[in-house]
Amino acid sequence: MAFCPLMLYFPYRNRFPSMNFEAEILTAPHDNSELYVIPSMRSLTAEEYVEAFKSFLDHSTEHQCMDEFNKKELPNIMAGLGNGKSTINVLGVGSGTGEQDLKMIRILQDAHPGVLIDNEIVEPNPQHVAAYKELVHQAPDLKNVSFSWHQLTSSEYEQQVKEKGTHKKFDFIHMIQMLYRVEDIPSTIKFFHSCLDHHGKLLIIILSDSSGWASLWQKYRHCLPSTDSGHYITSSGITDILKRLGIEYRIYEFPSGWDITECFIDGDLVGGCMMDFLTGTKNFLGTAPPGLRRQLQEALCQPECSSKKDGRIIFSNNLSMIVVDS
């Protein structure tokens, strides 16, 4: 899954080339009259992001949140798939290393015992594809399931399908925490919705408007280094697109938290890694101007971002599960 919070590009900033990166003219969030340049800040590389993401998962309930959705809602959704067909076609877009995919495949197996499942995966990262294949190799319970991988981005896959002129239909398509990174979100949703068979479902998992990310992005997205194409988007941005496209959907909200207490402990390595993930910036605490560091840490403590539990600071990582009809 290509989840990338503040490690995203916002297209309305002025950028000027420097030797090592695009130095940006930035506006202080609480003083629009003062412009400043931050030449020392740089975004995380792909490898650094993966490491920061691992730390995020270790201290958050993101996957547990998805498991709750899988337990409470997904079985009923899966039960309505296939329309009596002998084979159910599944497409995972931006599936990462496959842990969540296989959980959903098992739920589909339980809902349709004995039915063949043809599972295709679109994932551009070769390391993730290799890890996914190894996970499948270690799962002997996945009987009657075939797997095929497309090491492509979602846009490359779309282009390939259109060039071939054939349009395979799927009973279930899922896009988990990946729409932040596509170039054209409305076009991407429209294309993959067109790939649904009759009675098919498209599952989009995205950060909720009630998450702390929404508040953080609104205030501080201009103050951080840019990376490649990406978007600051939460659930309302997706549902607005679906409404414009005239597509019916249902939305489920599930709470998720991330313990960021270490972010406020000077010199804590885990806290430093957390701040890097929050901002998409390498060594944010060591390179950001003191004023920006202070403002961001203060913002993280506000009720719209976090809550306190047993003396710990829990950042809101709430998720929206949007189920789209064919």
Side-chain angles (χ1 to χ4, degrees):
M1 289 179 293
F3 173 40
C4 208
L6 279 174
M7 185 184 168
L8 302 171
Y9 166 69
F10 190 72
Y12 303 112
R13 290 179 285 190
N14 294 318
R15 303 188 304 279
F16 297 86
S18 68
M19 291 181 64
N20 299 316
F21 76 112
E22 292 182 318
E24 301 183 12
I25 290 184
L26 301 172
T27 305
H30 299 299
D31 182 4
N32 290 333
S33 65
E34 181 183 354
L35 297 177
Y36 56 92
V37 177
I38 307 177
S40 59
M41 294 173 68
R42 70 163 176 85
S43 60
L44 296 171
T45 64
E47 293 77 13
E48 291 165 346
Y49 171 75
V50 169
E51 289 304 311
F53 182 57
K54 288 178 182 176
S55 176
F56 161 77
L57 289 179
D58 288 342
H59 294 86
S60 78
T61 61
E62 170 143 321
H63 280 179
Q64 293 91 322
C65 170
M66 294 181 187
D67 289 343
E68 279 297 297
F69 170 75
N70 290 346
K71 177 182 177 182
K72 293 181 178 179
E73 304 294 346
L74 198 57
N76 287 334
I77 295 168
M78 293 295 198
L81 299 178
N83 198 27
K85 297 191 302 184
S86 59
T87 300
I88 294 178
N89 296 316
V90 178
L91 178 64
V93 186
S95 289
T97 53
E99 289 89 349
Q100 293 302 315
D101 286 33
L102 297 193
K103 290 177 183 178
M104 291 188 290
I105 290 294
R106 291 185 174 101
I107 294 171
L108 185 58
Q109 284 181 309
D110 291 340
H112 301 273
V115 171
L116 300 177
I117 299 172
D118 181 6
N119 186 43
E120 296 193 27
I121 301 101
V122 176
E123 170 55 52
N125 187 309
Q127 287 80 22
H128 288 172
V129 170
Y132 195 145
K133 290 180 178 179
E134 180 61 26
L135 202 62
V136 170
H137 180 70
Q138 296 175 2
D141 60 316
L142 295 173
K143 296 180 175 62
N144 297 326
V145 184
S146 63
F147 293 85
S148 57
W149 285 265
H150 307 274
Q151 192 178 306
L152 302 167
T153 65
S154 61
S155 59
E156 289 169 344
Y157 175 82
E158 178 180 349
Q159 181 180 356
Q160 184 181 88
V161 168
K162 290 179 176 177
E163 287 176 352
K164 287 182 177 179
T166 57
H167 211 164
K168 181 176 179 178
K169 297 294 185 177
F170 295 89
D171 301 291
F172 183 58
I173 300 173
H174 54 84
M175 310 171 81
I176 301 175
Q177 291 283 49
M178 57 75 62
L179 281 172
Y180 315 100
R181 306 296 291 178
V182 303
E183 294 180 7
D184 186 335
I185 295 176
S187 176
T188 298
I189 292 176
K190 184 177 181 180
F191 168 74
F192 284 102
H193 181 260
S194 75
C195 295
L196 288 176
D197 206 345
H198 298 299
H199 308 291
K201 303 291 182 186
L202 167 63
L203 171 63
I204 298 172
I205 298 182
I206 200 85
L207 285 166
S208 169
D209 287 359
S210 68
S211 70
W213 295 107
S215 173
L216 206 62
W217 288 345
Q218 183 179 8
K219 294 178 181 177
Y220 293 98
R221 60 189 178 187
H222 300 285
C223 303
L224 300 167
S226 65
T227 63
D228 56 346
S229 178
H231 306 272
Y232 298 92
I233 192 165
T234 51
S235 55
S236 63
I238 301 301
T239 56
D240 285 347
I241 291 169
L242 294 171
K243 289 173 185 175
R244 290 198 300 272
L245 293 173
I247 298 173
E248 294 185 1
Y249 65 88
R250 285 165 288 155
I251 186 167
Y252 305 86
E253 298 282 340
F254 280 80
S256 174
W258 176 22
D259 188 337
I260 60 169
T261 307
E262 281 73 19
C263 286
F264 305 93
I265 302 174
D266 288 342
D268 189 277
L269 295 178
V270 172
C273 190
M274 289 177 175
M275 288 299 292
D276 289 359
F277 186 73
L278 272 162
T279 62
T281 304
K282 177 62 177 176
N283 190 21
F284 174 81
L285 293 177
T287 61
L292 179 58
R293 291 200 306 270
R294 183 182 66 255
Q295 289 169 4
L296 199 61
Q297 286 179 321
E298 289 174 355
L300 289 173
C301 292
Q302 298 305 306
E304 58 266 29
C305 282
S306 301
S307 59
K308 289 187 177 181
K309 182 178 181 181
D310 300 327
R312 308 291 293 181
I313 300 173
I314 309 299
F315 184 78
S316 173
N317 189 62
N318 299 343
L319 298 179
S320 295
M321 286 67 169
I322 304 172
V323 180
V324 182
D325 297 326
S326 61

